[in-house]
Amino acid sequence: MRAYLLVLVTAAAVTYLCTPLARRLAEQLGAMSPVRDRDVHSVPTPRLGGTAMLAGLAAALVVASQLPFLEGVFAESRGPWAVLGAAALVSLLGVADDVWGLDALAKLGGQVLAASLLAWQGVQLLSLPVFGVTVGSGPTFFALTVVAVLVAVNAVNFIDGLDGLAAGVMLISGSAFFVYTYLLSQDASPRDYSNLATLVVAALVGCCLGFLPHNLHPARVFMGDSGSMLLGLLLAASGVAASGVDPTVVSRAQVVPVFLPLLLPLAVLLLPLLDLVWAVVRRLAKGQSPFTPDRLHLHHRLLDLGHSHGRAVGIMYAWAAVISFGAVSTAFVPLPVALPVWGAAVVVVAVVTLRIRRGVRPAAAVASSDGAPERS
């Protein structure tokens, strides 16, 4: 645990210290988020915060490579450096989009390239267990890995719409996935429970933790596409890497544990995925491109219900915690205990979500200076 905590702290410290530099770089390059009708901020704000996260990730992996506990992760494969290379690629793609603006196809092509690099270097799904039978082949797993990365990258990008929202949701969800991969690897190999999945998600949590103080309302800098795509790739990489750990060793699991490495990443990404799917469906129903921007995302709807910026972000945090930690709890807590607690938490958060304070105008009608730009 101490090794992972050192990785987390390193990523957080370097990201925190580099974020002001990223802000100045954005100002010099003109990478500023303009104020548009669909946005909820009213002051142009620098982006490129993702470059600071990339620096934090690089520093964390360099430190990890020198730790005896994690030396096996680096000796057995090129996985950690493959993750860093793919992360650098999507982050630089995001920088190009934040500075010059790229069309949807160019961004998609860059994302496919980064995902392919990750899979080609060995960070890909290793098995797809269905009722005890492993199905699929090498090319199938390669393609599924690319698809998983694309979905995660774009899902996180869709949820990046309010100050502190994407970083906070990914911090919470990543922490839940860290708990799962750490406990699973301990059960799988008590003598050496170091693994790539836990390493990557520890770095992800650290990057979010270091960036969040700069991004909370009122944000001084946005992560931009360089950050949202980076976080999506890291979560996808950790989920894919977790497929190499045998989940049947979870002795206390009260559900079918063989499916957990497949289901938990989906649970962790449930909020962004719901936003992504609903956006695609409603746009296609209107005869629009799935990439046509609008102001109908989940966080926009919370604002329109009358929630303040801080309350809307807090509600999204609460849902992220309930969904992700609730899903993880089913693997390590008996179902008769986990399900009632999970159900009660869902009810509480639902009540808070739907409780509208009287006399409060919809936030969409109130000029504010918060939020990150809507890019999707």
Side-chain angles (χ1 to χ4, degrees), residues 319 344-355:
W319 278 115
V346 169
V347 171
V348 170
V349 177
V351 169
V352 173
T353 301
L354 299 176
R355 182 176 178 270

Side-chain angles (χ1 to χ4, degrees), residues 335-370:
L335 278 184
V337 176
L339 288 183
V341 174
W342 195 4
V346 169
V347 171
V348 170
V349 177
V351 169
V352 173
T353 301
L354 299 176
R355 182 176 178 270
I356 309 303
R357 290 173 295 171
R358 295 179 180 178
V360 178
R361 289 186 298 159
V366 182
S368 67
S369 61
D370 49 61

Side-chain angles (χ1 to χ4, degrees), residues 26-345:
E27 292 172 341
Q28 292 176 356
L29 295 178
M32 306 290 290
S33 295
V35 180
R36 299 162 298 189
D37 291 340
R38 66 179 183 271
D39 294 326
V40 294
H41 68 288
S42 60
V43 177
T45 306
R47 35 200 184 193
L48 298 187
T51 58
M53 295 183 185
L54 180 61
L57 172 66
L61 291 181
V62 169
V63 169
S65 68
Q66 304 303 310
L67 299 177
F69 175 74
L70 294 170
E71 63 181 0
V73 177
F74 289 84
E76 293 174 1
S77 73
R78 295 172 291 183
W81 305 124
V83 171
L84 179 59
L89 187 54
V90 294
S91 189
L92 292 176
L93 178 70
V95 169
D97 185 51
D98 289 335
V99 176
W100 299 293
L102 301 175
D103 60 49
L105 288 179
K107 289 173 63 176
L108 181 61
Q111 293 168 4
V112 170
L113 182 61
S116 299
L117 172 64
L118 192 69
W120 177 58
Q121 292 294 311
V123 184
Q124 62 174 290
L125 289 169
L126 300 177
S127 63
L128 192 61
V130 177
F131 300 111
V133 179
T134 298
V135 299
S137 61
T140 300
F141 294 145
F142 188 101
L144 288 175
T145 299
V146 172
V147 171
V149 172
L150 292 180
V151 170
V153 163
N154 287 285
V156 177
N157 181 259
F158 267 60
I159 205 174
D160 181 25
L162 295 178
D163 292 358
L165 180 56
V169 167
M170 294 304 292
L171 170 62
I172 295 168
S173 301
S175 298
F177 200 61
F178 173 85
V179 171
Y180 172 73
T181 58
Y182 181 78
L183 293 179
L184 178 61
S185 58
Q186 272 194 321
D187 281 349
S189 180
R191 294 184 178 180
D192 180 13
Y193 47 91
S194 62
N195 66 90
L196 179 61
T198 311
L199 170 61
V200 172
V201 79
L204 180 154
V205 171
C207 290
C208 293
L209 189 62
F211 180 71
L212 201 53
H214 300 279
N215 189 233
L216 289 173
H217 176 61
R220 298 186 294 276
V221 62
F222 297 151
M223 68 172 64
D225 280 10
S226 60
S228 61
M229 292 197 295
L230 170 66
L231 295 181
L233 181 135
L234 291 180
L235 187 59
S238 63
V240 165
S243 70
V245 181
D246 183 4
T248 59
V249 299
V250 185
S251 57
R252 289 167 289 173
Q254 300 299 310
V255 296
V256 182
V258 76
F259 291 106
L260 287 178
L262 307 177
L263 299 180
L264 277 178
L266 295 178
V268 167
L269 275 174
L270 185 59
L271 280 181
L273 283 175
L274 287 175
D275 206 13
L276 172 62
V277 172
W278 174 238
V280 171
V281 169
R282 69 170 177 267
R283 292 167 185 174
L284 290 177
K286 295 178 181 178
Q288 300 174 335
S289 165
F291 302 102
T292 302
D294 58 29
R295 200 184 184 284
L296 295 173
H297 290 288
L298 295 176
H299 49 273
H300 289 136
R301 293 181 180 275
L302 288 173
L303 294 175
D304 292 342
L305 283 173
H307 295 297
S308 66
H309 176 280
R311 188 180 177 89
V313 172
I315 288 172
M316 295 290 279
Y317 285 178
W319 278 115
V322 167
I323 293 169
S324 56
F325 279 99
V328 169
S329 70
T330 61
F332 303 100
V333 178
L335 278 184
V337 176
L339 288 183
V341 174
W342 195 4

